[in-house]
Amino acid sequence: MNKAIESWIREHEADMVESLCGLVRIPAISPLDGGQGELAKAEWAEGLIERLGLPRPERYDAIDPKARGGVRPNLIVKIPGRTPLTTWFVSHLDVVPEGDRALWETDPFEPFVKDGRVYGRGSNDNGQELIASLYAAAAYRRLGILPETQIGLAFVADEELGSVFGITHLLEKGVFGKDDLVVVPDGGNDKGDFIEVAEKSVLWIQFTIEGKQVHASRPDLGNNACRAANFFSVELDEALHKVFPETDPLFEPSCSTFEPTRRFANVANVNTIPGRETLAFDCRILPQVRLDEVESVIRDVQSKIERKTGVKIGSENVQRAEAAPVTPSDSPVVSRIRNSVRRIYGFEPKVGGVGGGTCAAHFRKMGIPAVVWAQESDTAHMPNEFAVIEHMLNEALVFADMAGAE
Ligand SMILES: [Zn+2]
């Protein structure tokens, strides 16, 4: 990559750490989680953007009367390039609450720097990447070098609770174009060798089996919901695996998964035959299989067991999300980030899919290919969340390299 850009980023390590600390100090928690939203943090970020000499950000406020200032702010910064193409780095301002404070060794909103790490809520998710992308853009600006593509930074609200006031708002406003290169650096591993291009559909479904409760010595007078639930669970498990055997090497595991998971408590003693059972399945379905096909198989098994045992089986979706279209592995954004990872780290990254539900899905559903990549430790949402400073620096180099400087 361009040596001047690389040196500039490396020389600004301390500055990047300080900026990340500044972000951590301002909680940006959704009003639905008892917070005030992102306004204070967005205003602080606007100041930082100005100090770094970047163009004044455009604000796209989504109205939310529950938040401070009545808005959920989204910031867009664009710096010009030599071509009309834009490389976007989309990170989020909001953080999840700290959870049980007793599990934290330091104040979650007072950043603590130790052993090459920055501790604090939001340091990893998603402050590390917000700062990395910001300094990648600043390097070009400060050195007066035009990148090959324009660089777009989007710092969005509301990622943790559905993105209605965040990325969805920006997509509705037409901020992004079909040919834009979109990177959502909000997921990855601590090696930095995984580029996510696809996700499975998610179906979490809960079943209630209604029989008739009686004393265990008189099964003839009742209808054992436990037995019916056992039949049903085994039958459904087998049917789903049999009807949907497809595999796709993009994913690990490469097949759809249908797992019986939660089983609710039924009766409190051994000598009662339960009249009601509740159980759940977690299904992660390959994008080439339609969710309504899966649901039709589920309905068939429900009626079969109802006929066989005389119970009633009701169902309720706990979560249902149809997978977005896959970002093709040969699309320009995948090739570019793959090349940049290869150049910065010296290894070949894997391109693959995950079990479900990322922010990139919002882009993919609009027909904009997007990738998820980051180098990060697995501490998001956890007590003592931390960002590794070296990861943040590497990410800044990859982002700068992607936008290109010959
Ligand atoms: Zn995140």
Side-chain angles (χ1 to χ4, degrees):
M1 73 178 296
N2 182 299
K3 285 291 155 212
I5 297 282
E6 181 179 352
S7 310
W8 190 94
I9 290 170
R10 292 196 186 282
E11 282 157 17
H12 285 76
E13 177 181 323
D15 205 32
M16 289 171 77
V17 170
E18 207 183 297
S19 297
L20 179 56
C21 290
L23 274 185
V24 171
R25 262 184 212 109
I26 311 168
I29 295 168
S30 165
L32 294 178
D33 268 341
Q36 301 190 315
E38 300 85 357
L39 187 60
K41 198 175 215 164
E43 285 172 351
W44 187 86
E46 284 176 311
L48 175 61
I49 290 162
E50 200 187 319
R51 280 202 299 285
L52 285 169
L54 289 161
R56 202 186 161 75
E58 271 179 80
R59 273 262 299 269
Y60 288 83
D61 288 350
I63 304 300
D64 181 2
K66 292 195 207 67
R68 197 186 126 192
V71 293
R72 309 292 296 275
N74 296 279
L75 300 181
I76 297 291
V77 181
K78 278 196 95 169
I79 73 165
R82 285 181 276 118
T83 64
L85 215 59
T86 303
T87 309
W88 286 99
F89 301 101
V90 181
S91 49
H92 62 90
L93 291 160
D94 58 318
V95 302
V96 292
E98 70 272 28
D100 184 353
R101 245 191 213 233
L103 297 174
W104 285 81
E105 281 163 30
T106 59
D107 183 335
F109 296 106
E110 187 44 56
F112 180 70
V113 183
K114 196 187 169 196
D115 301 333
R117 297 170 169 181
V118 177
Y119 287 85
R121 175 56 83 227
S123 57
N124 177 303
D125 182 16
N126 202 196
Q128 177 187 319
E129 285 77 19
L130 190 154
I131 296 297
S133 64
L134 189 54
Y135 279 75
Y140 283 101
R141 195 73 177 175
R142 280 300 174 91
L143 294 170
I145 300 172
L146 273 188
E148 181 199 337
T149 73
Q150 304 181 60
I151 299 177
L153 306 176
F155 301 156
V156 304
D158 196 32
E159 190 276 337
E160 298 292 357
L161 287 179
S163 293
V164 177
F165 301 108
I167 205 64
T168 305
H169 182 71
L170 292 179
L171 283 162
E172 276 165 11
K173 295 277 171 202
V175 171
F176 307 98
K178 292 260 184 260
D179 297 323
D180 291 355
L181 306 161
V182 176
V183 181
V184 181
D186 192 21
N189 59 25
D190 64 4
K191 197 174 169 208
D193 69 350
F194 184 70
I195 298 167
E196 188 259 286
V197 293
E199 62 196 49
K200 292 177 181 173
S201 297
V202 176
L203 182 63
W204 294 353
I205 185 163
Q206 195 165 296
F207 301 96
T208 304
I209 292 101
E210 305 271 6
K212 185 174 179 229
Q213 178 172 319
V214 283
H215 191 278
S217 66
R218 293 302 307 271
D220 52 310
L221 299 178
N223 192 350
N224 192 332
C226 179
R227 179 179 290 117
N230 293 346
F231 283 144
F232 175 67
S233 183
V234 171
E235 187 96 17
L236 183 60
D237 191 337
E238 286 174 358
L240 291 170
H241 283 97
K242 192 165 154 233
V243 182
F244 305 106
E246 299 81 358
T247 57
D248 182 338
L250 259 189
F251 291 92
E252 220 175 295
S254 59
C255 53
S256 299
T257 58
F258 305 99
E259 292 295 305
T261 52
R262 189 165 185 197
R263 191 95 186 217
F264 290 64
N266 50 21
V267 288
N269 47 316
V270 174
N271 60 341
T272 298
I273 288 172
R276 176 180 239 255
E277 286 277 338
T278 307
L279 59 95
F281 268 66
D282 175 317
C283 310
R284 313 276 166 147
I285 300 142
L286 290 175
Q288 46 270 59
V289 176
R290 291 208 329 266
L291 275 185
D292 55 359
E293 295 173 308
V294 173
E295 285 163 337
S296 145
V297 171
I298 292 173
R299 274 195 303 276
D300 288 348
V301 177
Q302 273 176 266
S303 2
K304 184 177 164 193
I305 298 296
E306 282 179 340
R307 281 196 307 275
K308 177 173 165 178
T309 64
V311 297
K312 277 267 154 283
I313 304 178
S315 67
E316 185 194 338
N317 289 340
V318 179
Q319 200 185 145
R320 184 190 195 278
E322 189 107 45
V326 173
T327 293
S329 297
D330 59 356
S331 59
V333 66
V334 177
S335 329
R336 290 184 81 106
I337 194 159
R338 192 187 234 164
N339 290 338
S340 293
V341 168
R342 199 187 291 128
R343 273 196 288 272
I344 304 301
Y345 293 87
F347 55 62
E348 182 64 37
K350 295 189 283 283
V351 175
V354 295
T358 70
C359 191
H362 299 285
F363 288 94
R364 294 180 187 142
K365 280 179 184 152
M366 301 281 288
I368 303 172
V371 297
V372 178
W373 174 85
Q375 182 187 16
E376 55 180 21
S377 57
D378 189 15
T379 63
H381 300 205
M382 304 223 272
N384 306 306
E385 176 180 351
F386 64 82
V388 176
I389 295 166
E390 195 195 330
H391 293 173
M392 177 166 65
L393 222 63
N394 289 339
E395 288 175 339
L397 296 174
V398 168
F399 299 157
D401 188 73
M402 258 193 97
E406 300 316 315

